[in-house]
Amino acid sequence: MASRTVLDKVVAILFPNNAFVACGFEHSVANMYFLPIGVFMVAGGEPAIGLGSVLSRLLFVRIGNVLGGAVLVALIYWFVYLRQAPGADGAVEARTSIDAS
């Protein structure tokens, strides 16, 4: 099932995005939207967060996203594809769907 209209697509993505933010997770691309919007939405007066804070938050979140993604993705690929079976003699055999005759 796919959404047919733009409104359907917007409504379908709101819940997962809001749940992600409500859980307290941070993503650098999401923060590139949320932090500047938070700075500019001040109704008169001084913003609660400055440009330096925005840039430092983006820097540290970006580093965390890159390291976490690299480690988690690499770990999953290692676990699924390269992990030795118990009792293996150390040789990694290629898995192919074609029988060599």
Side-chain angles (χ1 to χ4, degrees):
M1 290 179 87
S3 301
R4 297 176 192 261
T5 66
V6 174
L7 180 62
D8 295 340
K9 293 176 184 181
V10 169
V11 170
I13 201 65
L14 280 178
F15 179 73
N17 281 344
N18 289 338
F20 184 84
V21 173
C23 288
F25 300 132
E26 292 195 24
H27 191 272
S28 57
V29 176
N31 284 357
M32 286 180 207
Y33 172 75
F34 286 122
L35 290 174
I37 290 299
V39 169
F40 294 127
M41 286 183 59
V42 177
E46 191 149 331
I49 186 170
L51 182 62
S53 298
V54 169
L55 293 178
S56 68
R57 168 127 347 184
L58 287 175
L59 173 71
F60 290 118
V61 169
R62 178 70 177 160
I63 291 170
N65 287 161
V66 168
L67 290 177
V71 169
L72 290 176
V73 170
L75 186 63
I76 289 170
Y77 275 119
W78 173 81
F79 184 76
V80 170
Y81 293 110
L82 297 178
R83 187 172 60 113
Q84 297 285 328
D89 62 354
V92 177
E93 296 179 16
R95 299 179 198 164
T96 62
S97 60
I98 301 173
D99 258 342
S101 300

